[in-house]
Amino acid sequence: MMLAFLNIDWQTLADATALGAIYALMAVGIGLVFGVLRLVNFAYGQLVMAGAFALALASQWGWPVWAGIALCFASVLVLSLLMDRLVFRPLRGQSPAVMLVATFAVAFLLQSVALLWFGPLGKIASSLSSLNQPVTVSGVDIRKITILAVVVAIVCLVALSLLLERTTIGLHMRAASLDFQTARMLGVRANRVIGVAVLLSGALAAVVAVMLTVQNPLVTPDFALRDTIIVLAGVVLGGMNRPIPATLGGFAIGFATGLLGGALPTNQSQYVPAFVFGAVILVLLVRPGGLFTRRQVAERV
Amino acid sequence: MRRLLGAQELLGPAVLVIVVALVGTVVSTSNASYFIDALVKVAIVVALYLFIGNSGVLSFGHISFVALGAWTAGVLSVPVGEKPAIMPNLAHFLRDRATGNLTSLLLAAIVGGICAFAVGLPLMRLSGLAAGIATFGVLEITHNLLRYEESIGPGLNTFSSVPETTTLRQAAIGALVVIVVAYAYARSRFGRLLRATREDAAAARAVGTSVYRQRLIAFTISGLLAGLAGGLYVHLLPVNTESVYLDLTFITLAMLVVGGATSLWGAVVGALAVSALDSYLAVAENGTSLFGWHIDLPAGTRVIVVGVLMALVLILRPAGLTGGREFRIWPRSS
């Protein structure tokens, strides 16, 4: 009833779910690094952009699909390790605002490197475009990538939560995100935990790069920039401190954006960003600590 | 005597701006535009400093007030005869009216101030990351609305035919006005209270300061100045929604951080230093020579150099080039 009234069909609903799934992965990637470093990585979208350019180059050189994906993972992982070594490590212990501004600078830096390297028109990553073809599920046409995105997101999230809950390094990471100082005193190795978090977050960026290039094969220097801004809002919306609220926030904002963008006519859907960010601000006013977290008391002195 | 020693904090920034303006008068006309641009940037960065520097709260949203100021001054200054050509869907009360230069700047400042007050009313309760993201949201909303709302401006088009009245003199006077207001604010009771909340919010509250009210006052004045700077900007070059969005946010924040966010002197030095570097690189992108070496940088180098500089300053000298201290010839006597 409600769905029919809002003029939402199953295709839109499925696409919104897929967008939510991809944004949830980005949210986890941002949240992992925030957990151990207290650093909001504004340059996360540029990691995704680098991976997308790797895919585009691979398809331009005529590489097979697996080699393209391997190149994507390799370049994103190397870039995230470099980012950690050159920027995050010297900034450890600075205030969150300083670190946010610093990653803002890194984001613009990487974007203009891409602009210099690949030009403003960008490149096409076409090797995986067959995934855009629809399959028919009980009378409804759904693109393969939509299903794949949801499945991959679920697999990644399950694997990640197993890692966090069932392994020693996962325990260390959870301890570090609760209280880094105390965790270190109890024998958690700071650099190792941070290294693992950065690598995991990079791997998620590579996965997101593959998904996004299938949906949008034209890779430009500002690829994934808008997505990052929206995901960041989603992460803060959900609650930055814990992985599950952050993931839920990312999913919620992706789902809402996809649904509104798909369901409204163009002369209204162009205002979706204003609407979404308006909603984000409203939520932040009511619950500054996040939507899905327990209410916190003011800091005591 | 104490008042006199305090006044030197105004002297440094003001003299620097006047010197830049005077140098601008002797260079060629094409280079003078870089000086005018630098002075307008000074105005924007000092407006940013007034809020961020004194409150310690990060704002990504100030460029929205610059944008709103630019829109106000731009819509009102395009000659009535040319309005239908670039703004066909303009609302009636704006279509048949045009104002003079000074009136448009004044209205730009007022609109910036009113909008900042309206936005700050709910938002100033937030701090830290939530404030950063929420002000980013304000920037996104403003950009989105200005881009598609054709009844209040050119939408996707560029503000052409705005009289280019921001000369070197006007830009310098504008920058000086902004600097004097920021100085007066920082030395007033309100500025001192706000800095107290920045240093220790709990202690400031304990002696009866309302953090919310002090931040709101600073945000409003800062929005007012940003609106004025936006008015100057639209009278300088043809503005569109993209030129008052992420790139300008990045470069002005970089200027503030590089100079030193916690002082007026830092804001002015940062704005001028980064402007100088940026303009030099812009010239170098078109080919120039330095000490006999021919330099021909590819387009896009500017942002890379400024980005690296900003990251380096944050890592090596987080308080900025000036160390976040005010300009002083004579040390503080205490």
Side-chain angles (χ1 to χ4, degrees), chain A residues 212-289:
Chain A
L212 281 180
T213 44
V214 175
Q215 300 203 321
N216 173 20
L218 178 65
V219 184
T220 50
D222 60 356
F223 191 80
L225 177 70
R226 291 210 56 80
D227 303 285
T228 315
I229 297 174
I230 297 175
V231 171
L232 273 178
V235 169
V236 173
L237 191 71
M240 199 84 215
N241 286 320
R242 316 264 306 152
I244 292 169
T247 317
L248 283 177
F251 180 82
I253 207 162
F255 188 74
T257 313
L259 207 58
L260 289 173
L264 296 173
T266 319
N267 66 342
Q268 287 169 21
S269 73
Q270 63 197 14
Y271 293 114
V272 164
F275 189 77
V276 167
F277 279 97
V280 168
I281 291 175
L282 275 183
V283 171
L284 283 178
L285 290 173
V286 186
R287 307 207 59 170

Side-chain angles (χ1 to χ4, degrees), chain A residues 101 109 116 226 270-271 285, chain B residues 122 140 144 149 299 304 310 318:
Chain A
V101 173
L109 184 68
L116 214 56
R226 291 210 56 80
Q270 63 197 14
Y271 293 114
L285 290 173
Chain B
E140 286 291 326
N144 191 232
E149 201 51 59
I304 298 184
M310 183 172 167

Side-chain angles (χ1 to χ4, degrees), chain A residues 163-200:
Chain A
L163 182 90
L164 285 175
E165 299 289 333
R166 297 288 160 88
T167 62
T168 317
I169 186 73
L171 181 70
H172 287 179
M173 284 172 68
R174 281 185 294 138
S177 70
L178 272 182
D179 186 339
F180 203 84
Q181 268 337 86
T182 314
R184 282 189 79 171
M185 274 185 252
L186 294 172
V188 170
R189 288 209 206 134
N191 285 338
R192 186 145 161 263
V193 167
I194 290 170
V196 170
V198 166
L199 277 181
L200 283 176

